[in-house]
Amino acid sequence: MGPLVSNCQKFTELVEEYFGFLEEHGFKRSPEYEISSGVLCQVVYLGKHVAIEVYLDIRDDYVGVTVVKVLDGIPKDCLQGGFHADLGAYLRKRGRFRKMPTRRLQSPIETALAAWADYLQLEGKEILADLPESLPDVDH
């Protein structure tokens, strides 16, 4: 991992910078669902019906985003009777894919965060709407 992102705290700051727009859509940071370990950093934004998880797999230096169905105020994955999917796979499955122009930023991690944020804003309108029908109830 590059010197710019040396720990979960710095990753969290970068996520807040690139995904801060989520708060304008009613999402709130939810530290109680976040992970900060030697192998995974995860920042969670919780809406009424959708949670958005932005994570860094430290071992693989991989940044990803997942969308999760929120039931009774709690993010629920498939094992808990809800829905949990990679954002890119979810949007491609719904025919919402376009190659995003990549901004070259100070680090590969920042570049990935910017790309995911742009992709979500351009193609994820139903997710950002945070409605009960934004994600399916069960779709394994």
Side-chain angles (χ1 to χ4, degrees):
M1 184 166 32
L4 183 61
V5 180
S6 59
N7 59 39
C8 288
Q9 182 179 355
K10 184 60 178 174
F11 178 73
T12 298
E13 291 169 9
L14 289 171
V15 170
E16 288 175 339
E17 178 181 339
Y18 289 99
F19 285 83
F21 69 89
L22 290 173
E23 294 184 358
E24 298 167 17
H25 293 276
F27 291 86
K28 303 276 188 244
R29 281 271 316 280
S30 295
E32 66 270 25
Y33 298 112
E34 297 182 355
I35 299 169
S36 180
S37 73
V39 296
L40 182 69
C41 302
Q42 177 177 281
V43 178
V44 177
Y45 284 89
L46 189 65
K48 290 181 181 178
H49 306 285
V50 176
I52 298 171
E53 302 170 340
V54 184
Y55 65 90
L56 169 64
D57 182 326
I58 294 169
R59 296 164 297 189
D60 295 332
D61 227 12
Y62 177 78
V63 174
V65 178
T66 55
V67 290
V68 182
K69 182 84 168 180
V70 173
L71 301 169
D72 299 322
I74 300 169
K76 300 283 189 176
D77 63 24
C78 291
L79 296 175
Q80 300 164 317
F83 175 88
H84 184 268
D86 172 80
L87 175 65
Y90 176 79
L91 291 175
R92 278 190 302 275
K93 186 175 178 181
R94 278 149 185 73
R96 298 252 174 88
F97 177 76
R98 71 172 84 170
K99 185 162 174 67
M100 300 298 301
T102 304
R103 296 185 263 165
R104 298 274 180 229
L105 298 168
Q106 293 183 353
S107 76
I109 291 171
E110 273 194 273
T111 299
L113 286 170
W116 278 116
D118 291 346
Y119 188 38
L120 179 58
Q121 290 179 85
L122 286 171
E123 299 293 342
K125 303 285 190 241
E126 74 277 359
I127 293 168
L128 296 175
D130 191 25
L131 300 171
E133 60 272 9
S134 291
L135 296 175
D137 288 328
V138 178
D139 186 7
H140 301 277

